[in-house]
């Protein structure tokens, strides 16, 4: 499943709830609700960074006055979740009998998607 968008500020691990856009020809920074899609020249911000943003000297800040809330899950999120559940429910492929395996080769102890768990050498 797709992870939620994170705040664009360096080192901030919080979930983004607002989008910052600079309107250069009007010297204005606009902070509004989180945009539906991440755009190249916008910045996603968490609640504290959206509320405390300051603009460069001589610039104006236009800020959304309502609540900043995380976006609801999209249908893409729900489809990804359903596909992950289906993948986990698929039966594992049959394993070859133990006597056919080379004792010098490591044996796989599990499989998850494209990853395999290999036990350490004893």
């Amino acid at each position: 499943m797709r992870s939620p968008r994170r705040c664009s500020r360096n080192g901030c691990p919080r979930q983004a709830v607002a989008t910052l856009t600079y309107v250069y020809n009007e010297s204005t920074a606009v902070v509004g609700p989180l945009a539906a899609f991440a755009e190249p020249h916008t910045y996603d911000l968490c609640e504290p960074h959206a509320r405390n943003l300051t603009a460069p000297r001589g610039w104006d800040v236009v800020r959304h006055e309502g609540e900043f809330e995380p976006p609801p899950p999209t249908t893409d999120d729900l489809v990804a979740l359903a596909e992950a559940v289906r993948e986990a429910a698929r039966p594992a492929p049959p394993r070859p009998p133990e006597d056919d395996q080379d004792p010098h080769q490591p044996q796989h102890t599990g499989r998850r998607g494209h990853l395999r768990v290999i036990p350490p050498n004893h």
Side-chain angles (χ1 to χ4, degrees):
M1 187 162 80
R2 181 178 57 150
S3 62
R5 286 162 43 192
R6 298 283 173 208
C7 184
S8 297
R9 297 290 300 260
N10 285 338
C12 182
R14 293 185 205 96
Q15 181 177 359
V17 295
T19 297
L20 166 64
T21 306
Y22 289 109
V23 183
Y24 292 97
N25 61 348
E26 295 180 19
S27 299
T28 303
V30 180
V31 180
L34 188 64
F37 300 99
E39 297 289 332
H41 298 288
T42 62
Y43 303 90
D44 293 339
L45 299 174
C46 64
E47 174 92 20
H49 285 126
R51 293 277 176 221
N52 298 319
L53 177 90
T54 59
R57 184 174 293 144
W59 282 55
D60 294 318
V61 176
V62 176
R63 193 181 327 266
H64 172 71
E65 292 301 323
E67 293 294 317
F68 289 116
E69 296 181 13
T74 65
T75 56
D76 292 344
D77 293 335
L78 298 175
V79 169
L81 179 60
E83 288 174 0
V85 169
R86 282 188 211 105
E87 176 69 26
R90 286 189 184 129
R95 294 182 54 154
E98 292 293 325
D99 51 66
D100 289 349
Q101 292 182 357
D102 181 354
H104 300 293
Q105 292 294 323
Q107 298 180 5
H108 303 288
T109 59
R111 184 173 175 91
R112 177 86 176 153
H114 66 282
L115 303 174
R116 293 188 182 128
V117 178
I118 300 174
N121 292 335
H122 296 294

